[in-house]
Structure formats: structure tokens, C-alpha cells
Amino acid sequence: MDQTERIDMNDIRTRLVEKLHEVRRTIISGDKDKLAQVLVELDFYQKTFDDLYERKL
């Protein structure tokens, strides 16, 4: 794994954690409309991370 891939993995991992916090805050606030959007974004970051991780193996 080269330096660029490592940076990409760390960037996506950071975004995943941030998005998880946003999901938690959205659930607490009860904003169901925003929750759907945030969950779609979380799914995108998770798939991107999975793709990067599989390429690493």
C-alpha cells in the first residue's frame, strides 16, 4: 500500500467516524428527514472504505 492509499484510507475512516457522530446527533434531535440523508452518506463512505480496504488486501 502506497502513501496515497494510506492517506485515502485514513481520510475515509475519519469521515466515517464523523458521519457516525452526525447520525447519532440526528437521531437524538429526532430529525427524520435529515436522518435518511445522513444514512445514505454513511453508506457511501462505508462502501468507499470497504473498496479501499479490499484493494489493500
Side-chain angles (χ1 to χ4, degrees):
M1 179 166 60
D2 68 0
Q3 185 69 20
T4 303
E5 287 176 333
R6 192 172 307 133
I7 290 170
D8 288 344
M9 291 264 314
N10 287 335
D11 182 51
I12 292 298
R13 189 176 334 184
T14 300
R15 290 176 189 230
L16 268 171
V17 170
E18 290 171 352
K19 197 54 65 177
L20 282 170
H21 287 298
E22 187 175 351
V23 167
R24 184 182 63 81
R25 287 190 306 270
T26 304
I27 289 171
I28 291 170
S29 75
D31 188 348
K32 292 180 182 178
D33 295 328
K34 184 176 179 183
L35 181 59
Q37 174 191 351
V38 173
L39 288 173
V40 168
E41 293 170 1
L42 178 64
D43 186 54
F44 169 75
Y45 288 128
Q46 181 63 52
K47 287 178 181 175
T48 303
F49 181 81
D50 289 345
D51 290 344
L52 286 170
Y53 185 76
E54 286 181 19
R55 276 195 293 161
K56 176 185 153 189
L57 298 177

